Amino acid sequence: MAATELQCEGADQAFLNRISDQLLGGIAGIGIAMGMETGLFDVLITLGENPNTSQQIADTAGMKERYVKEWLGCMAAADIIKFDGKTETYWLPTNRSNIMELKAVALTAPTLYGGFFKVAECFRKDGPSGVPYNAYHKFDELMALTQGPFFRDQLVQKFIPSVPELHQQLITGLEVLDIGCGEGISTFAMARHFPKSKFYGVDLSQSALAKARDKEDEMGLTNVEFINADITQMPSDWTDKFDYLFMHFVLHDLSYPTKALREMHRVLKPGGTLSVVESNTHSNLQENLDMRDRENILIEYIYSLLNCMPTSLYPGDGAAGLGAMWGREKAKESLEQANFRVVMVTEAYKEGVHLMCKKPMTS
């Protein structure tokens, strides 16, 4: 009897079935993501429940029929869309047209796959220290999808008003630095709502900032400026410049967070406010495993393993590699070590914890 057969005799079949379902679900998810990325789901939603052939769907989408037909087969096999074998037509039931709400989740795996094999090489003792950010094609777009709902629906509606003093100051007028602003969704949300305040968005990604600047031109905002800069080396004339610093899911990604915090402390005015939003997790694994939302914990760990940690470690030479799961306790400790006074630690939303800090009047 083969060794593998001997192993299977004592295997927990329920465990294997559960893992099989997870793996198969992941494979189906790639097909779903393809339909979202290409826009085919949008086409099917527009067509409604009217059955169409693969050629009709391809013509409506302006795509190649052969590829469209193969994708339709994938979705029919996954029981996502309906197929009539007699007429060879396809349609998406109306009650499933909300599938696009899951676009951010669907595109997570394909985006992270960009660095998958490179991350695997990093495990070897003689392997590379990390993976470059540019290995993850369209990662900026994924972040816009995943973080966009908070920026659009909660940032100025709930998050900032939860700190009444800050809210009132922004209405009156402050100098604000949005650190790691990406495509500027958060920057725009604040700038529109607080026209008397001036907002600066800073990021290392030139592609993300290009999109932010295009949007800035479209919106015609006069209280926004975007800067391509390394936050560990911000402009020398920014000392004590800003009243408020906002940083959302950025600190754990940095290769040199201690240097960044030192610079953030320098550019913030004495008495100024810093908001750091990090993953709503703990620094202790068991505490994370005891949390009710195990699915979210799993997603955060996968993000950390496949992107946050390896991109942080990429420069080598003392890079931190904190990872998304470093937890609120270590985040608080790092902020305090950088001479910020942590005023409160509260849940910003389901996935994020808000560490609100003050720079002392005298340092």
Side-chain angles (χ1 to χ4, degrees):
M1 184 177 292
T4 53
E5 291 176 340
L6 283 170
Q7 292 170 1
C8 288
E9 276 189 358
D12 182 339
Q13 191 60 44
F15 167 76
L16 293 179
N17 291 341
R18 175 167 65 86
I19 298 302
S20 177
D21 289 344
Q22 289 177 323
L23 293 172
L24 290 171
I27 292 171
I30 297 172
I32 294 170
M34 185 63 73
M36 293 178 174
E37 176 66 15
T38 58
L40 277 167
F41 273 120
D42 292 319
V43 171
L44 289 177
I45 291 169
T46 301
L47 292 172
E49 294 197 357
N50 299 314
N52 285 271
T53 65
S54 58
Q55 187 64 61
Q56 290 171 322
I57 294 170
D59 290 343
T60 301
M63 298 179 186
K64 299 171 184 174
E65 187 272 343
R66 183 66 191 92
Y67 279 90
V68 171
K69 185 176 182 179
E70 203 73 1
W71 176 78
L72 290 167
C74 293
M75 293 300 93
D79 194 25
I80 304 296
I81 66 172
K82 296 296 184 181
F83 173 66
D84 186 333
K86 293 181 180 180
T87 59
E88 294 196 354
T89 54
Y90 310 80
W91 69 96
L92 179 69
T94 303
N95 62 358
R96 300 180 183 181
S97 61
N98 58 352
I99 190 170
M100 292 301 293
E101 294 177 15
L102 299 174
K103 186 174 182 179
V105 177
L107 290 178
T108 294
T111 304
L112 293 179
Y113 288 160
F116 179 85
F117 291 105
K118 290 182 174 65
V119 173
E121 293 174 4
C122 295
F123 278 71
R124 303 194 321 266
K125 286 188 175 181
D126 62 347
S129 57
V131 178
Y133 185 82
N134 61 16
Y136 303 87
H137 187 53
K138 294 194 173 184
F139 192 80
D140 292 330
E141 293 181 21
L142 177 62
M143 290 298 96
L145 279 173
T146 57
Q147 299 177 9
F150 168 70
F151 295 148
R152 287 190 297 266
D153 304 330
Q154 297 186 52
L155 178 57
V156 299
Q157 297 91 335
K158 298 179 180 179
F159 179 82
I160 291 175
S162 71
V163 187
E165 181 184 4
L166 173 65
H167 187 219
Q168 186 56 49
Q169 289 172 337
L170 284 166
I171 292 172
T172 304
L174 295 180
E175 295 273 310
V176 180
L177 181 63
D178 188 357
I179 302 171
C181 65
E183 296 182 6
I185 301 175
S186 53
T187 321
F188 293 131
M190 292 187 285
R192 280 197 304 264
H193 202 78
F194 303 107
K196 293 184 178 180
S197 290
K198 170 74 176 182
F199 295 86
Y200 297 80
V202 62
D203 204 286
L204 261 181
S205 173
Q206 294 186 10
S207 60
L209 289 180
K211 292 181 180 180
R213 287 171 180 139
D214 287 343
K215 187 70 173 177
E216 178 188 359
D217 292 338
E218 291 176 17
M219 298 175 70
L221 291 171
T222 58
N223 61 334
V224 174
E225 183 178 337
F226 291 101
I227 301 99
N228 180 227
D230 182 347
I231 62 172
T232 65
Q233 294 178 314
M234 288 188 272
S236 59
D237 60 353
W238 278 9
T239 299
D240 296 340
K241 176 178 177 62
F242 298 101
D243 303 284
Y244 180 49
L245 307 184
F246 176 76
M247 178 184 252
H248 184 273
F249 276 73
V250 173
L251 189 55
H252 67 261
D253 286 327
L254 301 178
S255 297
Y256 305 104
T258 301
K259 290 182 180 179
L261 287 170
R262 189 181 303 128
E263 277 290 89
M264 289 160 61
H265 192 276
R266 178 180 68 83
V267 303
L268 184 62
K269 291 179 181 177
T273 303
L274 163 66
S275 285
V276 173
V277 180
E278 283 289 315
S279 58
N280 191 12
T281 57
H282 296 280
S283 303
N284 179 275
L285 174 59
Q286 188 60 58
E287 288 186 76
N288 289 329
L289 296 179
D290 290 341
M291 295 175 72
R292 292 182 181 179
D293 191 6
R294 182 68 75 88
E295 288 184 355
N296 182 59
I297 294 297
L298 172 60
I299 291 171
E300 292 286 355
Y301 268 116
I302 294 297
Y303 258 105
S304 188
L305 171 64
L306 289 177
N307 178 265
C308 305
M309 185 184 72
T311 54
S312 172
L313 289 170
Y314 177 66
D317 190 26
L322 296 174
M325 300 302 291
W326 69 320
R328 63 175 67 191
E329 294 85 5
K330 288 185 178 178
K332 181 175 182 290
E333 181 182 340
S334 294
L335 289 163
E336 290 173 339
Q337 288 175 349
N339 295 320
F340 288 105
R341 181 167 59 89
V342 180
V343 178
M344 65 178 186
V345 180
T346 57
E347 183 175 288
Y349 55 102
K350 181 181 176 182
E351 296 86 6
V353 63
H354 178 201
L355 297 102
M356 195 186 94
C357 310
K358 287 284 188 178
K359 177 179 175 178
M361 292 301 295
T362 57
S363 301

